[in-house]
Amino acid sequence: MKNILLLIHDDEGQEARYQVALDVTRATGGHLICVDLTAIPEFTDDYGGTVAVMMAREMEVEAANRARMIARLEHEDVSFEWIDRTGFAAQAIRDHAGLTDLIVLSTDWAGELCPHLADVVGDALVRLGKPVLVVPAKARRLDVANRAMVAWDGSENAQAALQASVPLLSLARTVTLFHVDDGGQGLPAEAAARYLSRHGIEPVVQHEPATVDRPGNALLTEIGRGQHDWLVMGAFGHSRTIEAMFGGTTRTMLEHSPVPILMAHRR
């Protein structure tokens, strides 16, 4: 993963995205592609010039943010480029992700102009088929060389996430394949372990019996033990439409995971 796209926007998740993207870029010896978004409203009704006022404020805030973030990047030990963009968040990501290997987004932002970033994550996964690293707003680092966990249910999306994450999993000190046994008919965790072993990665397979808890709760409980620094999982769901693609497990993890999640969705 040498080409890493980072969304730059002055929102509550920016610092988390920034720090984690730097960590991944350093770990891979990669190049950071910063897309600086000046967002335009996602709605069209304009009452009393409200949109014009909001856009003027957005342009002012992002101009200051641009100067501040470029100054910071110039003092970091990473290769980077800067793209200024005015428009919608999801479209900006689509337009500049063509030759990227990983997209770094965060779980949400609280803004007047933009949709929830979960919607942008869904758009990138469905339309681009590229892995997305989703970062909790409180995160400040990601040690990819430490402890990774792979959420495994044997589905096509789990397979896509596993394959996409190999370059980063190969850097990890430990890899745990975590399987909640709910009687599903997908590929067994042992098949995933064999796949990784051929890439020089020797995971520990951990089977968790199904209980009344949903798989997402089991994942959160396991992560809560403090033994994993980042997570790999497929964007589980039964629909390819953006609005309905996130199943319960995926939505639970997006909303509550304390660690970054590398997600993928098979197109």
Side-chain angles (χ1 to χ4, degrees):
M1 293 184 176
K2 295 289 188 180
N3 303 279
I4 299 162
L5 188 151
L6 169 64
L7 174 65
I8 297 287
H9 181 270
D10 191 4
D11 58 77
E12 63 181 344
Q14 176 174 260
E15 188 64 20
R17 296 192 302 271
Y18 175 72
Q19 295 294 347
V20 166
L22 286 176
D23 285 342
V24 175
T25 304
R26 292 188 185 107
T28 61
H31 178 75
L32 194 59
I33 303 165
C34 301
V35 177
D36 181 15
L37 177 68
T38 299
I40 63 176
E42 296 278 346
F43 54 86
T44 57
D45 291 333
D46 188 3
Y47 300 101
T50 301
V51 170
V53 172
M54 292 168 62
M55 277 302 302
R57 175 59 178 163
E58 172 78 357
M59 293 172 68
E60 178 184 349
V61 169
E62 284 308 313
N65 189 52
R66 179 185 189 276
R68 182 170 61 250
M69 297 304 292
I70 289 178
R72 292 178 67 182
L73 279 162
E74 288 174 343
H75 289 86
E76 301 287 355
D77 55 344
V78 298
S79 167
F80 78 94
E81 64 186 88
W82 192 272
I83 300 170
D84 289 307
R85 177 64 186 262
T86 298
F88 302 127
Q91 186 64 55
I93 296 298
R94 290 200 300 270
D95 288 348
H96 299 289
L99 292 178
T100 61
D101 305 309
L102 179 68
I103 300 167
V104 180
L105 297 171
S106 50
T107 50
D108 215 343
W109 70 33
E112 297 175 298
L113 298 179
C114 301
H116 289 174
L117 272 186
D119 297 333
V120 182
V121 170
D123 186 274
L125 288 166
V126 170
R127 297 183 188 276
L128 298 174
K130 292 180 180 288
V132 177
L133 186 60
V134 188
V135 184
K138 293 183 179 180
R140 289 298 180 268
R141 68 188 303 267
L142 172 56
D143 186 359
V144 294
N146 207 354
R147 304 164 300 179
M149 183 171 87
V150 179
W152 186 257
D153 72 345
S155 66
E156 288 191 358
N157 291 325
Q159 295 168 41
L162 185 75
Q163 291 177 297
S165 65
V166 164
L168 295 186
L169 290 176
S170 66
L171 303 175
R173 176 169 61 87
T174 64
V175 176
T176 300
L177 272 166
F178 186 81
H179 173 234
V180 178
D181 188 1
D182 60 357
Q185 300 300 311
L187 288 178
E190 287 71 20
R194 289 192 295 272
Y195 172 84
L196 290 177
S197 70
R198 298 183 188 111
H199 287 278
I201 302 165
E202 299 298 335
V204 173
V205 178
Q206 181 176 340
H207 292 285
E208 189 75 16
T211 65
V212 293
D213 283 342
R214 295 179 178 180
N217 293 331
L219 288 170
L220 289 174
T221 298
E222 177 64 22
I223 291 172
R225 295 190 174 103
Q227 299 175 348
H228 310 285
D229 299 289
W230 57 286
L231 173 68
V232 173
M233 68 179 290
F236 303 133
H238 302 293
S239 174
R240 291 185 182 273
T241 64
I242 297 167
E243 294 80 6
M245 72 164 292
F246 289 143
T249 298
T250 305
R251 192 171 300 279
T252 295
M253 297 308 297
L254 282 175
E255 292 176 355
H256 301 294
S257 175
V259 302
I261 309 173
L262 191 150
M263 302 180 70
H265 180 76
R266 183 146 288 169
R267 299 177 70 186

